[in-house]
Amino acid sequence: IPVDDFDLILFGATGDLAKRKIIPSLYRRFLAGQMPEGARVIGAARSELDDEAFRKEVREAIAEFVSKPKRKPEVIDAFCERCSYIAVDAMGDAGWKELHDSVRDEVCKAFYFSVAPGIFGPLAKKLREHGIACENSRLVVEKPFGTDLETARKLNAELAASFDEHQIYRIDHFLGKETVQNLMAVRFANVLFEPLWNERYIDHVQITVAETVGVAGRGSYYDKSGAMRDMVQNHLMQLLCLTAMEPPNRYDADMLRDEKLKVIRALDPLPLSDVVRGQYKEGDGHPSYREEAENEDSLTESFIALKVGISNWRWKHTPFYLRTGKRMSRRVSEIVIQFKETPHSIFERDNGSQANALTIRLQPDEGIDMSVTIKEPGPGGMRLINVPLDMTFADALDGGDEIPDAYERLIMDVIRGNQTLFMRGDEVEAAWAWTDPIIEAWTEKRDRPHGYAPGTSGPEEALMLMHRDNRRWRDLD
Ligand code: BG6
């Protein structure tokens, strides 16, 4: 779908996220023909660069982070023509007049804050003071959105002084992933699942986001956050909400976010006994967490597993188990809906049947599969086997098309003015209100995370979290 002309002003244009995600995503949309003639990218940061020096950085980002078949020299040249640069100082006056003169009032102006959260407020203020932000403007902010309820409230208030809520796009890039949107299609565009989507038929839900990387290179940020703040409060919370929410009346930004908010407000407070924190040790050729984070006494978790209850009619007796961690055995993100056993089996015991499970895979191999039990083909009697009804999205795409990166979709949604896949201020605050007490509880206790060997599925204690309920985690391998 084409979009209107726009000026995208990228603050933090020389930073890591701009290089790894934002610039490559804009280039891929340009290549796909989705950036109209009048679309421009204006890099803004503190460094004193000129347009040519910035374009050189743009080229480097494309060379490093765009796949080879998509790196077409003439397209890269044309894309660079659209890019320019202005040095601005968030705390001083340098660059603001120039920025004011170069952005166009008649097109959509998207200000993308890919900068430290500490300067969100000052930047928003400058945009207002210099008359750069207007009714036609949109503001995109990256995570982390605060570090607790208090800081998130303060940030929301700072942004609200310059922008209305309908102009603010808080990024959670998990919402831009193909499968996450497909989860809504599966739930609300089929008659098959919704009648079963409740505590009567679902035994439990497992949400796993396992990564093989460590924290090297970003230890100073990560050590102050840990897995709870870095992943659970945002990404896993969003996955939980989309799985658990009631159907909104329409696929509309505020209706959908109202439903997500209701889920967060229905979450039971977390007791310490339902949380397992872990920290990776040295091994597998990698240094320990503490070494990578450069903090030999660190009590920060690089892994966390939780059992979460939702107190509403739909989910009262169906727990949601969440886990996420670094340096685990495999990179996998998935949501598993584990259905209950049939109420009674007419077949002999040990016949091979298993309860149904619906697996929503975010990565790798984005797709959804449903395990069903059928009779093993052949004359051997009534032996039952489990087979997957598999829907891998790549198979459903026309030959060779890649699934677009989450950022490509999200940036284009900003230009279109569609907030559906962005978090609303009250949602972020409610999520912090839920995570704050447990973080405070373990900080006060000086709770020590359990050590785990790299390349595993986390500490043994995390297995116990499910074993004690007679359940088990899905194998990662
Ligand atoms: C980020 C976290 O938001 O998401 C990182 O800060 C994490 O710690 C990353 O590695 C995971 O994103 P993806 O898209 O690679 O699964």
Side-chain angles (χ1 to χ4, degrees):
I1 313 168
V3 297
D4 294 335
D5 289 352
F6 62 86
D7 279 347
L8 186 138
I9 301 95
L10 177 56
F11 290 94
T14 52
D16 188 54
L17 186 74
K19 189 170 171 201
R20 275 187 305 113
K21 292 286 185 185
I22 306 169
I23 292 171
S25 295
L26 284 163
Y27 167 75
R28 282 190 292 259
R29 287 296 91 207
F30 182 75
L31 176 70
Q34 220 190 10
M35 268 171 72
E37 284 287 315
R40 300 185 322 179
V41 178
I42 302 171
R46 245 203 341 229
S47 328
E48 288 292 339
L49 300 180
D50 60 15
D51 289 349
E52 272 322 303
F54 178 56
R55 288 179 185 142
K56 188 161 166 277
E57 298 209 352
V58 169
R59 285 176 192 279
E60 282 166 10
I62 296 171
E64 198 175 342
F65 295 104
V66 172
S67 64
K68 196 149 180 245
K70 296 205 162 180
R71 296 199 304 256
K72 305 216 160 82
E74 64 294 352
V75 183
I76 297 177
D77 290 346
F79 177 71
C80 284
E81 283 296 306
R82 306 289 189 91
C83 300
S84 57
Y85 183 85
I86 299 176
V88 287
D89 180 0
M91 302 302 175
D93 288 326
W96 291 100
K97 168 140 188 0
E98 207 186 335
L99 186 61
H100 174 270
D101 294 344
S102 56
V103 294
R104 297 166 292 172
D105 269 341
E106 64 284 8
V107 301
C108 159
K109 292 189 277 190
F111 302 102
Y112 197 131
F113 289 1
S114 173
V115 295
I119 55 175
F120 287 177
L123 277 181
K125 195 164 165 226
K126 290 277 182 200
L127 288 171
R128 189 188 59 224
E129 283 172 0
H130 290 269
I132 304 173
C134 65
E135 191 36 44
N136 214 2
S137 307
R138 285 160 205 166
L139 175 65
V140 189
V141 289
E142 274 294 339
K143 71 170 269 258
F145 200 86
T147 50
D148 55 16
L149 177 58
E150 195 186 326
T151 48
R153 271 195 184 138
K154 186 164 168 278
L155 262 182
N156 274 332
E158 283 174 350
L159 298 184
S162 301
F163 293 89
D164 284 342
E165 182 62 34
H166 76 268
Q167 297 177 296
I168 305 175
Y169 292 72
R170 294 176 194 78
I171 291 228
D172 184 312
H173 77 283
F174 267 54
L175 290 178
K177 291 184 191 270
E178 183 70 25
T179 326
V180 174
Q181 292 160 79
N182 234 308
L183 169 59
M184 288 183 275
V186 164
R187 282 194 64 193
F188 304 131
N190 295 286
V191 75
L192 289 178
F193 299 107
E194 208 43 33
L196 308 179
W197 209 264
N198 56 52
E199 60 138 34
R200 258 185 91 185
Y201 297 101
I202 296 179
D203 178 73
H204 71 275
V205 175
Q206 299 188 14
I207 302 181
T208 299
V209 179
E211 299 182 279
T212 51
V213 292
V215 299
R218 56 202 289 262
S220 63
Y221 150 75
Y222 193 92
D223 204 44
K224 287 191 227 79
S225 307
M228 186 68 149
R229 288 190 172 99
D230 183 52
M231 299 292 288
V232 176
Q233 186 272 347
N234 38 79
H235 305 323
L236 278 85
M237 176 71 82
Q238 291 295 322
L239 300 182
L240 179 148
C241 284
L242 294 174
T243 308
M245 71 182 184
E246 296 301 314
N249 277 32
R250 272 186 281 121
Y251 188 66
D252 158 277
D254 274 326
M255 287 187 178
L256 197 120
R257 296 184 296 178
D258 287 345
E259 295 307 334
K260 287 195 288 167
L261 183 60
K262 283 187 211 159
V263 175
I264 304 176
R265 289 187 174 152
L267 298 179
D268 295 338
L270 266 178
L272 272 172
S273 55
D274 285 352
V275 181
V276 174
R277 297 163 70 237
Q279 194 186 67
Y280 59 84
K281 299 189 284 201
E282 180 190 343
D284 235 6
H286 298 290
S288 67
Y289 171 83
R290 290 181 173 194
E291 204 174 314
E292 288 195 330
E294 296 177 15
N295 177 1
E296 59 187 31
D297 303 317
S298 175
L299 296 178
T300 302
E301 76 284 357
S302 60
F303 170 97
I304 191 164
L306 344 150
K307 177 183 176 185
V308 182
I310 306 179
S311 279
N312 62 19
W313 274 49
R314 192 187 279 262
W315 296 116
K316 185 62 196 171
H317 298 109
T318 300
F320 282 58
Y321 297 90
L322 318 184
R323 64 177 165 167
T324 181
K326 306 278 183 202
R327 281 263 187 272
M328 295 176 68
S329 57
R330 213 160 71 85
R331 178 168 189 249
V332 42
S333 302
E334 64 180 20
I335 303 170
V336 180
I337 313 293
Q338 181 61 58
F339 289 92
K340 291 187 176 172
E341 303 279 352
T342 52
H344 164 73
S345 177
I346 64 167
F347 304 106
E348 284 173 23
R349 279 165 64 83
D350 297 332
N351 54 38
S353 76
Q354 280 174 27
N356 300 115
L358 179 74
T359 305
I360 299 145
R361 279 190 316 275
L362 280 70
Q363 57 207 15
D365 310 327
E366 309 202 350
I368 296 182
D369 75 55
M370 174 88 192
S371 77
V372 289
T373 303
I374 60 166
K375 178 191 167 299
E376 189 172 33
M382 201 55 178
R383 278 289 310 160
L384 303 179
I385 51 167
N386 269 78
V387 291
L389 283 179
D390 188 0
M391 206 185 104
T392 304
F393 299 149
D395 299 344
L397 284 173
D398 288 343
D401 272 5
E402 281 173 39
I403 293 176
D405 186 90
Y407 274 88
E408 293 178 49
R409 181 182 337 253
L410 294 175
I411 295 171
M412 289 299 127
D413 276 358
V414 172
I415 310 297
R416 287 189 201 103
N418 183 349
Q419 287 186 306
T420 313
L421 300 175
F422 296 85
M423 294 179 296
R424 208 167 54 192
D426 51 3
E427 221 184 307
V428 181
E429 289 184 12
W432 283 123
W434 182 72
T435 51
D436 274 2
I438 189 80
I439 296 176
E440 275 160 27
W442 76 54
T443 312
E444 199 170 300
K445 250 186 85 215
R446 293 195 50 77
D447 182 64
R448 297 183 77 77
H450 303 279
Y452 62 96
T456 64
S457 51
E460 289 284 312
E461 288 75 5
L463 305 181
M464 288 309 298
L465 190 68
M466 289 198 82
H467 285 178
R468 65 179 198 201
D469 296 341
N470 281 325
R471 299 182 173 115
R472 56 189 293 269
W473 293 104
R474 217 31 123 72
D475 285 340
L476 284 183
D477 308 302

